[in-house]
């Protein structure tokens, strides 16, 4: 999950990194109020999850509350590279500073963690790397030893930061590393990392990407976008299902993102011959297709009123097809006497496929049809959805 600048700065502040005082506003009036409270010139900053806001006119200085209101009105709703700015950050402006760059990230190509520090901040780091490579220190960080003050001083020196800021910069770098490790981030970036004339170091911008696989260890839920409307996708998320609602009529369940993607394709292709029937969703139930996961998946898909038929397409691997078939039979029982409200086509292949087929035919559920090929299954489910 990528964070907004104001959220990144909230994490920075929690770890003792200095950030300018300020708050986020959703209306121009609110921006004016915050500027009044801060009793100082402010910067109004578009909150969008993309860079280059400055160049796009999404970062503006305002000498006082009235200007703050005007700038906020201009920036709210602004489109920056396809992202709409629904809120602005109103922050006390920092005057007269040098701009550096600091980041820690996962360097997948080299299978390591990487520190990138530069004395040339403010501009795109790609540009610095291309035009002034000597001003960019790229130093691998050992995950076990991490970044202590000595390492951080070395980073500051290698990046060519002035000597009289090494101590302050190093202290900030250690804290930034703490954010990386303690918050389970994949990327923490500060550009510009500002150094004022009285040699204070503060984060004027912030970019943080959190590792969603570690979300259970954290209390980061408040950072998630408020797009949750209690709809199907939110319900699916609550059941830990990887579900995306689409516009069509065929519910699709499969195991593995690649298999589900290709199932969507064959369903859409087959659907062309049945009046343009299309997939209604993406749902990947992952490896362990247990009865409970199958029941949860079917329940979500069948609550979509557009769905007229369902295709279950599973390739048996570690979880063999007989276990999946038993899962389907058990899931069907959760629908009680009347059964699911529309037909379910099942295609099982891979480990123990024949045993899986036998389990389903022995169960003899009137709403379930077994087809052995993917194309055949897509054809039948499209036909049933069109009927
Ligand atoms: P980005 O363009 O999306 O990376 O947004 P930034 O937050 O980095 O802002 C862009 C530029 O605006 C920075 O490089 C700074 O030069 C400038 N800027 C940001 N905050 C302040 C501030 O408080 N005072 C002043 N004078 N300039 C600022
Ligand atoms: Mn920036």
């Amino acid at each position: 999950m990528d964070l907004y600048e104001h959220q990144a700065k909230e994490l920075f502040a929690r770890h003792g990194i200095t950030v300018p005082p300020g708050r986020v506003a959703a209306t121009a009036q609110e921006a004016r109020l915050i500027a009044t409270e801060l009793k100082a010139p402010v910067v109004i900053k578009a909150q969008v999850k993309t860079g280059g806001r400055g160049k796009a006119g999404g970062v503006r200085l305002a000498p006082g509350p009235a200007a703050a209101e005007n700038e906020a009105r201009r920036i709210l709703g602004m489109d920056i590279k396809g992202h709409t700015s629904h809120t602005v950050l109103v922050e006390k402006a920092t005057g007269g500073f040098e701009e550096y760059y600091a980041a820690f990230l996962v360097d997948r190509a080299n299978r390591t963690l990487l520190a990138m520090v530069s004395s040339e901040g403010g501009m795109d780091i790609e540009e610095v790397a291309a035009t002034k490579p000597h001003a960019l220190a790229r130093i691998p960080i050992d995950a076990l030893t991490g970044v202590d003050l000595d390492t951080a001083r070395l980073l500051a020196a290698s990046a060519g930061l002035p000597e009289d800021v090494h101590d302050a910069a190093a202290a900030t770098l250690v804290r930034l590393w703490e954010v990386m490790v303690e918050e389970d981030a994949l990327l923490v970036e500060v550009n510009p990392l500002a150094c004022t004339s009285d040699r204070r170091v503060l984060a004027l911008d912030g970019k943080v990407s959190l590792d969603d696989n570690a979300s259970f260890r954290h209390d980061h839920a408040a950072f998630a976008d408020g797009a949750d409307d209690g709809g199907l996708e939110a319900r699916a998320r609550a059941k830990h299902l990887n579900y995306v609602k689409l516009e069509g009529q065929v519910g699709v369940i499969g195991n593995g993102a690649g298999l589900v993607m290709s199932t969507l394709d064959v369903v859409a292709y087959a659907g062309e011959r049945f009046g343009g029937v299309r997939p209604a969703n993406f749902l990947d139930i992952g490896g362990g297709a247990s009865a409970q996961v199958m029941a949860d998946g079917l329940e979500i898909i069948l609550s979509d009123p557009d769905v007229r038929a369902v295709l279950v397409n599973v390739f048996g691997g570690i979880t063999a097809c007989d276990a999946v078939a038993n899962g389907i039979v058990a899931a069907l029982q959760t629908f009680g006497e009347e059964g699911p409200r529309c037909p379910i086509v099942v295609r099982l292949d891979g480990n123990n496929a024949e045993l899986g087929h036998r389990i389903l035919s022995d169960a003899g559920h009137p709403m379930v049809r077994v087809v052995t090929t993917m194309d055949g299954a897509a054809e039948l489910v499209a036909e049933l959805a069109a009927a």
Side-chain angles (χ1 to χ4, degrees):
M1 173 169 58
D2 293 339
L3 301 189
Y4 288 104
E5 177 194 10
H6 71 92
Q7 297 171 327
K9 283 176 164 169
E10 192 183 318
L11 282 187
F12 290 173
R14 274 188 222 166
H15 290 270
I17 296 169
T18 310
V19 297
R23 275 207 333 262
V24 78
T27 65
Q29 289 84 341
E30 238 180 296
R32 183 189 188 114
L33 269 177
I34 298 168
T36 311
E37 283 169 25
L38 289 171
K39 295 195 188 85
V42 292
V43 270
I44 310 289
K45 309 184 74 176
Q47 294 300 286
V48 285
K49 293 180 180 180
T50 181
R53 294 166 301 161
K55 274 184 206 157
V59 178
R60 301 288 289 238
L61 267 166
E69 182 175 341
N70 281 335
E71 292 295 356
R73 187 172 298 116
R74 217 178 41 77
I75 293 173
L76 284 166
M78 177 187 266
D79 178 283
I80 299 177
K81 298 183 194 164
H83 299 255
T84 308
S85 180
H86 297 293
T87 56
V88 289
L89 177 61
V90 182
E91 239 178 34
K92 186 173 171 198
T94 307
F97 51 87
E98 287 164 29
E99 296 186 310
Y100 311 137
Y101 173 96
F104 294 109
L105 57 137
V106 178
D107 178 359
R108 293 180 196 276
N110 295 306
R111 300 184 178 190
T112 184
L113 296 164
L114 182 69
M116 295 211 294
V117 183
S118 174
S119 52
E120 298 280 333
M123 57 172 139
D124 282 353
I125 201 60
E126 290 80 8
E127 201 181 319
V128 178
T131 59
K132 298 180 181 171
H134 56 276
L136 175 63
R138 297 168 46 99
I139 296 178
I141 302 294
D142 185 313
L144 296 179
T145 48
V147 178
D148 58 13
L149 266 178
D150 288 339
T151 315
R153 274 201 202 90
L154 185 80
L155 290 172
S158 312
L161 265 53
E163 263 200 62
D164 61 345
V165 292
H166 283 191
D167 283 349
T172 302
L173 287 170
V174 168
R175 288 172 182 150
L176 192 62
W177 174 257
E178 239 178 69
V179 176
M180 178 80 173
V181 175
E182 288 174 18
E183 305 290 343
D184 281 310
L186 299 170
L187 164 79
V188 292
E189 184 190 63
V190 185
N191 186 25
L193 180 69
C195 176
T196 58
S197 49
D198 55 352
R199 286 346 211 180
R200 288 181 308 119
V201 169
L202 68 170
L204 286 198
D205 191 7
K207 186 170 167 186
V208 169
S209 185
L210 297 172
D211 184 352
D212 295 335
N213 295 306
S215 61
F216 69 95
R217 294 205 284 224
H218 300 280
D219 188 17
H220 289 152
F223 290 143
D225 266 326
D228 280 16
D229 51 3
L232 283 176
E233 295 197 355
R235 267 169 59 195
R237 218 169 9 254
K239 295 193 164 180
H240 306 289
L241 292 173
N242 197 357
Y243 172 90
V244 181
K245 168 96 174 84
L246 302 170
E247 299 298 308
Q249 306 78 23
V250 175
V252 174
I253 301 184
N255 63 336
L259 180 65
V260 179
M261 294 289 273
S262 34
T263 307
L264 300 186
D265 285 346
V266 293
V267 166
Y269 185 66
E272 284 175 13
R273 289 189 296 284
F274 296 96
V277 163
R278 297 187 62 82
N281 68 278
F282 171 100
L283 175 54
D284 170 18
I285 55 171
S290 71
Q292 189 57 52
V293 173
M294 190 59 78
D296 287 348
L298 282 174
E299 198 260 318
I300 293 283
I301 281 183
L302 293 171
S303 356
D304 174 355
D306 296 337
V307 168
R308 314 211 28 198
V310 178
L311 173 54
V312 177
N313 188 13
V314 168
F315 194 88
I318 292 169
T319 305
C321 291
D322 53 323
V324 175
N326 284 323
I328 294 170
V329 172
L332 287 168
Q333 277 157 10
T334 65
F335 288 94
E337 286 274 298
E338 70 238 58
R341 67 168 176 81
C342 59
I344 299 173
V345 176
V346 181
R347 180 258 183 176
L348 299 174
D349 202 351
N351 202 358
N352 287 356
E354 279 181 29
L355 188 51
H357 292 152
R358 205 168 326 133
I359 290 165
L360 289 174
S361 57
D362 287 351
H365 200 289
M367 293 301 267
V368 175
R369 307 272 294 270
V370 178
V371 179
T372 52
T373 68
M374 187 148 146
D375 287 338
E379 182 89 15
L380 176 60
V381 80
E383 187 185 341
L384 290 169

PDB file of all heavy atoms in Angstrom, residues 376-387:
ATOM      1  N   GLY A 376     -14.593 -25.964 -23.078  1.00  0.00           N
ATOM      2  CA  GLY A 376     -15.938 -26.540 -22.984  1.00  0.00           C
ATOM      3  C   GLY A 376     -16.712 -25.933 -21.818  1.00  0.00           C
ATOM      4  O   GLY A 376     -17.908 -25.635 -21.919  1.00  0.00           O
ATOM      5  N   ALA A 377     -16.020 -25.748 -20.695  1.00  0.00           N
ATOM      6  CA  ALA A 377     -16.657 -25.185 -19.510  1.00  0.00           C
ATOM      7  C   ALA A 377     -17.088 -23.742 -19.768  1.00  0.00           C
ATOM      8  O   ALA A 377     -18.186 -23.321 -19.392  1.00  0.00           O
ATOM      9  CB  ALA A 377     -15.710 -25.245 -18.322  1.00  0.00           C
ATOM     10  N   ALA A 378     -16.227 -22.985 -20.459  1.00  0.00           N
ATOM     11  CA  ALA A 378     -16.540 -21.584 -20.767  1.00  0.00           C
ATOM     12  C   ALA A 378     -17.751 -21.503 -21.686  1.00  0.00           C
ATOM     13  O   ALA A 378     -18.643 -20.671 -21.510  1.00  0.00           O
ATOM     14  CB  ALA A 378     -15.333 -20.905 -21.404  1.00  0.00           C
ATOM     15  N   GLU A 379     -17.779 -22.408 -22.664  1.00  0.00           N
ATOM     16  CA  GLU A 379     -18.888 -22.472 -23.620  1.00  0.00           C
ATOM     17  C   GLU A 379     -20.208 -22.719 -22.879  1.00  0.00           C
ATOM     18  O   GLU A 379     -21.198 -22.002 -23.080  1.00  0.00           O
ATOM     19  CB  GLU A 379     -18.598 -23.632 -24.593  1.00  0.00           C
ATOM     20  CG  GLU A 379     -19.597 -23.832 -25.686  1.00  0.00           C
ATOM     21  CD  GLU A 379     -19.273 -23.007 -26.931  1.00  0.00           C
ATOM     22  OE1 GLU A 379     -18.123 -22.510 -27.025  1.00  0.00           O
ATOM     23  OE2 GLU A 379     -20.167 -22.852 -27.768  1.00  0.00           O
ATOM     24  N   LEU A 380     -20.189 -23.745 -21.998  1.00  0.00           N
ATOM     25  CA  LEU A 380     -21.429 -24.104 -21.296  1.00  0.00           C
ATOM     26  C   LEU A 380     -21.878 -22.985 -20.359  1.00  0.00           C
ATOM     27  O   LEU A 380     -23.064 -22.641 -20.308  1.00  0.00           O
ATOM     28  CB  LEU A 380     -21.237 -25.415 -20.507  1.00  0.00           C
ATOM     29  CG  LEU A 380     -22.434 -25.846 -19.655  1.00  0.00           C
ATOM     30  CD1 LEU A 380     -23.674 -26.076 -20.523  1.00  0.00           C
ATOM     31  CD2 LEU A 380     -22.114 -27.112 -18.858  1.00  0.00           C
ATOM     32  N   VAL A 381     -20.930 -22.396 -19.631  1.00  0.00           N
ATOM     33  CA  VAL A 381     -21.334 -21.385 -18.649  1.00  0.00           C
ATOM     34  C   VAL A 381     -21.870 -20.139 -19.358  1.00  0.00           C
ATOM     35  O   VAL A 381     -22.822 -19.502 -18.893  1.00  0.00           O
ATOM     36  CB  VAL A 381     -20.178 -21.047 -17.670  1.00  0.00           C
ATOM     37  CG1 VAL A 381     -19.166 -20.069 -18.262  1.00  0.00           C
ATOM     38  CG2 VAL A 381     -20.724 -20.495 -16.355  1.00  0.00           C
ATOM     39  N   ALA A 382     -21.303 -19.824 -20.523  1.00  0.00           N
ATOM     40  CA  ALA A 382     -21.800 -18.679 -21.295  1.00  0.00           C
ATOM     41  C   ALA A 382     -23.212 -18.937 -21.776  1.00  0.00           C
ATOM     42  O   ALA A 382     -24.088 -18.079 -21.710  1.00  0.00           O
ATOM     43  CB  ALA A 382     -20.870 -18.393 -22.475  1.00  0.00           C
ATOM     44  N   GLU A 383     -23.425 -20.183 -22.235  1.00  0.00           N
ATOM     45  CA  GLU A 383     -24.762 -20.565 -22.717  1.00  0.00           C
ATOM     46  C   GLU A 383     -25.782 -20.469 -21.583  1.00  0.00           C
ATOM     47  O   GLU A 383     -26.877 -19.930 -21.751  1.00  0.00           O
ATOM     48  CB  GLU A 383     -24.703 -21.981 -23.270  1.00  0.00           C
ATOM     49  CG  GLU A 383     -25.990 -22.432 -23.942  1.00  0.00           C
ATOM     50  CD  GLU A 383     -25.947 -23.890 -24.385  1.00  0.00           C
ATOM     51  OE1 GLU A 383     -24.820 -24.449 -24.506  1.00  0.00           O
ATOM     52  OE2 GLU A 383     -27.021 -24.466 -24.604  1.00  0.00           O
ATOM     53  N   LEU A 384     -25.393 -20.990 -20.404  1.00  0.00           N
ATOM     54  CA  LEU A 384     -26.314 -20.978 -19.254  1.00  0.00           C
ATOM     55  C   LEU A 384     -26.612 -19.531 -18.810  1.00  0.00           C
ATOM     56  O   LEU A 384     -27.734 -19.212 -18.437  1.00  0.00           O
ATOM     57  CB  LEU A 384     -25.704 -21.773 -18.082  1.00  0.00           C
ATOM     58  CG  LEU A 384     -25.625 -23.284 -18.290  1.00  0.00           C
ATOM     59  CD1 LEU A 384     -24.773 -23.924 -17.195  1.00  0.00           C
ATOM     60  CD2 LEU A 384     -27.025 -23.903 -18.323  1.00  0.00           C
ATOM     61  N   ALA A 385     -25.580 -18.685 -18.861  1.00  0.00           N
ATOM     62  CA  ALA A 385     -25.778 -17.292 -18.427  1.00  0.00           C
ATOM     63  C   ALA A 385     -26.681 -16.540 -19.401  1.00  0.00           C
ATOM     64  O   ALA A 385     -27.378 -15.603 -19.010  1.00  0.00           O
ATOM     65  CB  ALA A 385     -24.433 -16.588 -18.308  1.00  0.00           C
ATOM     66  N   ALA A 386     -26.655 -16.960 -20.660  1.00  0.00           N
ATOM     67  CA  ALA A 386     -27.453 -16.269 -21.677  1.00  0.00           C
ATOM     68  C   ALA A 386     -28.899 -16.758 -21.687  1.00  0.00           C
ATOM     69  O   ALA A 386     -29.787 -16.093 -22.205  1.00  0.00           O
ATOM     70  CB  ALA A 386     -26.822 -16.460 -23.060  1.00  0.00           C
ATOM     71  N   ALA A 387     -29.106 -17.949 -21.120  1.00  0.00           N
ATOM     72  CA  ALA A 387     -30.430 -18.589 -21.214  1.00  0.00           C
ATOM     73  C   ALA A 387     -31.523 -17.780 -20.488  1.00  0.00           C
ATOM     74  O   ALA A 387     -31.228 -17.105 -19.525  1.00  0.00           O
ATOM     75  CB  ALA A 387     -30.378 -19.997 -20.642  1.00  0.00           C
TER      76      ALA A 387
END
